[in-house]
Amino acid sequence: MSNTRFIGGDVLAVIFGLFLRWCISLQSYSGQDSPPMYGDYEAQRHWMEITVNLPTKEWYFNTSNNDLMYWGLDYPPLTAYHSMVCGYVAKYFNPDFVKLHESRGYESINHKLFMRASVFISELLTFVPAICLYFSFSKSRKTESFKSVSKENMSDSKTRLSSTLMVTIALIYPGLILIDYGHFQFNCVSLGLFVFALVSIIQHNYIVSSIFFCLALSYKQMELYHSLPFFFYFLGLCYNLWQYEGFKQGLFLLFIIGSSVIMTFLLVWLPFLQEKKTTFQVLHRLFPIARGVFEDKVANFWCCLNVFYKIRNYVSNDSMAKICLFDTVFSVLPSCVDLFLNPTFHKFKLSLINSSLAFFLFSFQVHEKSILLVSIPILLQFPQDQFPCFWFLIISTFSMSHLFMKDNILIPYIGLTVFFYLFILSALDLKSIITTSVISAQTRVPSFFGRKFMLNIDFCRIVKWVFHLSMLGCLIITVCSLTLEPPEKYPDLYPLLISFYSFIHFLLFFIYFNFSQISSKVCVKLKMN
């Protein structure tokens, strides 16, 4: 009876999440009625046109039939295959949707319905089941608890989260809904494959996990944000197996994981590996150094630094790419080393947060939408650290608000964000989750940092006020950007304010989650299916 109730609750959560998605899909999309380039909606449609009408060898090359300056394909092969499948379905319903050359900028009610449905069905097959399975399996996992760690209140029912509640929270997160169903993208596919990889780890099936992650990486290269934790986690497991079970066992695990990775990439990339020229062209399209260190106004270090020091005027793109690579590796290294030495699932999830945040803050060619790569690990960590995760999810959505304004989905953005905020506060007791997080953090502070002194300070009240001020800041910036014209001298004032304000938050979250990972101590248990 209990399992039936949980399944029924999850089904209702999924239905509600899908309902919200379809409501948002009725709104405007990126580049609607905006020739000649339109926006990401047209980019996705154009990729369907290209992959359906041209041979594979021409997909990534500039030809008379494939103008790379007009939304040229710049995602890995699995995205191209997905576009091709969608393209053939589109061609079946209406050949005009993907007619070569003639379908550029194609817009109609029926086409919008098809495009929205393509995202809807894609998510229904990937992200939605992955999230449901993750929280279902996590709840039954002995090493994971759906209860926040608190010395004072271990039995408080407000700190316990059911799988149904977590599925609901994950499926009503505004950021992903607004980007995929408002702006228009297929982030749900790569993120769903990523979550499936974690589900496989929970089941101790490391081979399947590595396959899923390779598929995610072969769908969107931004999954590199998560690649280092996967590498060091699996390497750490092999090393631990070598230490406790013997060299052969550790080497065998490393061999089968490595083999599954190589075979998966070979199968997905095979059509593009037959000629060196084709392989390098695909890689060139995936990593376009010429585009510069960032696009538009993004809440990362380089965009904020550019306000005071015009990077592009003094540093070449090639040099900047090397600087970004060094800074990113340096910032993510402590988390990865800690994960290698202590390869637990708890630390692995935190390392995913820290790695993706490091990439977002310091890497090259960052988009504002890339914050979703941090938000999904945050959602997965939510049951264990509810307050900072809740806070982060609000700020992550706010950081993309300028994009939502450009896409004319401001009202859905405000409505969905307010609903998400109120839903969390109605489901959880704010004071309780703040207290839990503060006490948990205080007890992990080393004694030489003055832990006894810190325990005497009412940090709970301080954190609560800082949180409310943070939310007030988001509200003030949003209202000002809607009601007050920026000075003529500073036309990008509000986008920069949004970026800088969000960046400060992200930097503090980066410090906090690194501290959470490195200070946590969990025993290592290795099991294989």
Side-chain angles (χ1 to χ4, degrees):
M1 180 66 73
S2 177
N3 288 336
T4 303
R5 187 164 60 249
F6 276 127
I7 293 172
D10 287 356
V11 170
L12 289 176
V14 169
I15 292 173
F16 183 66
L18 294 176
F19 170 74
L20 286 181
R21 281 157 169 73
W22 198 252
C23 289
I24 299 299
S25 72
L26 300 175
Q27 308 300 315
S28 175
Y29 51 79
S30 171
Q32 183 170 344
D33 301 323
S34 302
M37 291 300 291
Y38 300 92
D40 275 2
Y41 176 95
E42 168 62 11
Q44 300 290 340
R45 188 217 59 79
H46 181 63
W47 295 345
M48 297 177 194
E49 170 196 345
I50 292 300
T51 52
V52 164
N53 291 289
L54 299 181
T56 308
K57 62 182 181 180
E58 291 187 31
W59 287 356
Y60 292 93
F61 282 90
N62 194 61
T63 66
S64 57
N65 289 322
N66 185 21
D67 180 8
L68 293 182
M69 296 302 293
Y70 184 81
W71 298 116
L73 186 59
D74 55 4
Y75 281 124
L78 200 57
T79 288
Y81 303 149
H82 180 220
S83 296
M84 183 173 63
V85 171
C86 292
Y88 277 115
V89 176
K91 190 175 183 179
Y92 172 79
F93 284 110
N94 188 342
D96 290 340
F97 289 175
V98 290
K99 189 173 291 185
L100 190 62
H101 300 309
E102 297 179 21
S103 60
R104 280 195 179 187
Y106 190 98
E107 292 180 301
S108 70
I109 295 297
N110 288 336
H111 184 254
K112 180 181 178 180
L113 178 63
F114 166 77
M115 294 292 280
R116 295 302 198 189
S118 65
V119 180
F120 191 84
I121 294 171
S122 297
E123 184 167 20
L124 201 55
L125 296 174
T126 52
F127 186 73
V128 171
I131 282 292
C132 292
L133 288 174
Y134 176 84
F135 288 115
S136 176
F137 290 157
S138 291
K139 189 170 178 63
S140 60
R141 181 184 171 93
K142 291 183 179 180
T143 56
E144 290 295 316
S145 171
F146 264 42
K147 186 168 66 173
S148 297
V149 179
S150 171
K151 286 190 173 183
E152 289 190 352
N153 198 357
M154 292 294 288
S155 61
D156 187 353
S157 62
K158 281 287 185 180
T159 63
R160 292 195 181 98
L161 302 184
S162 68
S163 62
T164 298
L165 177 58
M166 274 314 308
V167 169
T168 306
I169 291 172
L171 293 183
I172 67 171
Y173 166 58
L176 182 59
I177 298 176
L178 291 165
I179 290 297
D180 277 11
Y181 291 86
H183 179 79
F184 196 88
Q185 282 194 334
F186 287 92
N187 293 288
C188 55
V189 177
S190 60
L191 293 173
L193 294 170
F194 161 71
V195 178
F196 270 127
L198 270 73
V199 171
S200 301
I201 288 177
I202 293 175
Q203 297 297 97
H204 305 287
N205 199 328
Y206 306 119
I207 299 172
V208 174
S209 174
S210 63
I211 292 172
F212 270 121
F213 183 69
C214 289
L215 291 175
L217 187 54
S218 295
Y219 191 89
K220 282 202 172 185
Q221 64 269 36
M222 282 77 77
E223 278 297 326
L224 283 169
Y225 284 37
H226 301 140
S227 59
L228 290 177
F230 270 93
F231 175 79
F232 282 98
Y233 179 68
F234 286 141
L235 192 64
L237 289 180
C238 296
Y239 179 71
N240 270 270
L241 192 62
W242 173 21
Q243 280 191 315
Y244 296 110
E245 299 292 335
F247 174 75
K248 289 184 179 179
Q249 286 81 354
L251 186 62
F252 178 71
L253 178 60
L254 181 63
F255 174 76
I256 58 174
I257 291 176
S259 299
S260 64
V261 169
I262 293 171
M263 290 302 297
T264 303
F265 277 121
L266 280 176
L267 287 172
V268 174
W269 287 72
L270 187 60
F272 307 96
L273 298 177
Q274 297 176 15
E275 293 184 18
K276 185 184 294 185
K277 182 178 72 172
T278 304
T279 305
F280 280 108
Q281 175 63 12
V282 175
L283 293 175
H284 173 71
R285 293 295 301 163
L286 299 188
F287 304 102
I289 302 297
R291 287 187 184 177
V293 64
F294 58 85
E295 290 191 15
D296 214 342
K297 305 298 182 291
V298 60
N300 78 345
F301 174 75
W302 304 115
C303 182
C304 294
L305 177 63
N306 194 66
V307 175
F308 308 101
Y309 179 81
K310 301 303 178 185
I311 301 171
R312 290 168 172 168
N313 295 342
Y314 301 101
V315 185
S316 67
N317 283 335
D318 289 339
S319 299
M320 197 65 225
K322 295 174 184 176
I323 293 171
C324 289
L325 177 62
F326 174 81
D327 287 351
T328 304
V329 172
F330 180 78
S331 60
V332 80
L333 198 59
S335 172
C336 290
V337 171
D338 177 67
L339 180 62
F340 171 73
L341 297 175
N342 304 281
T344 65
F345 189 66
H346 175 69
K347 283 182 177 285
F348 175 56
K349 288 192 298 179
L350 289 169
S351 185
L352 288 169
I353 295 171
N354 293 323
S355 174
S356 52
L357 252 179
F359 271 81
F360 182 83
L361 292 173
F362 303 111
S363 68
F364 194 84
Q365 252 297 300
V366 176
H367 297 256
E368 59 266 68
K369 295 161 287 194
S370 300
I371 197 62
L372 295 177
L373 292 154
V374 190
S375 299
I376 301 308
I378 288 284
L379 280 168
L380 305 183
Q381 178 63 15
F382 195 104
Q384 285 73 42
D385 209 353
Q386 296 158 29
F387 174 67
C389 290
F390 167 49
W391 194 349
F392 181 93
L393 293 172
I394 295 294
I395 297 297
S396 67
T397 306
F398 170 75
S399 72
M400 298 182 283
S401 58
H402 176 63
L403 179 64
F404 302 142
M405 294 177 195
K406 286 201 302 183
D407 291 339
N408 295 317
I409 51 173
L410 177 65
I411 293 176
Y413 154 66
I414 294 174
L416 203 55
T417 304
V418 170
F419 173 75
F420 181 77
Y421 180 85
L422 295 177
F423 178 85
I424 298 292
L425 292 186
S426 65
L428 305 173
D429 179 61
L430 183 62
K431 182 179 179 180
S432 176
I433 62 175
I434 289 176
T435 302
T436 299
S437 294
V438 169
I439 292 176
S440 176
Q442 284 179 320
T443 54
R444 284 183 277 126
V445 173
S447 56
F448 56 82
F449 277 117
R451 182 168 61 188
K452 290 183 179 179
F453 171 74
M454 293 180 68
L455 290 172
N456 293 326
I457 301 176
D458 189 0
F459 275 106
C460 295
R461 179 175 294 183
I462 295 173
V463 170
K464 184 178 180 180
W465 275 105
V466 171
F467 170 72
H468 287 311
L469 288 173
S470 169
M471 296 297 102
L472 181 62
C474 294
L475 179 62
I476 291 173
I477 293 174
T478 301
V479 171
C480 289
S481 64
L482 294 175
T483 58
L484 300 176
E485 287 290 329
E488 290 186 12
K489 189 177 179 181
Y490 305 107
D492 294 327
L493 175 64
Y494 293 125
L496 284 172
L497 273 177
I498 292 169
S499 297
F500 196 83
Y501 189 77
S502 302
F503 165 71
I504 296 299
H505 283 79
F506 292 150
L507 188 61
L508 294 174
F509 282 123
F510 180 66
I511 295 170
Y512 171 80
F513 283 112
N514 268 279
F515 165 75
S516 295
Q517 178 189 336
I518 294 171
S519 63
S520 64
K521 296 180 180 179
V522 189
C523 62
V524 179
K525 293 181 180 179
L526 180 62
K527 178 182 176 182
M528 288 186 62
N529 286 342

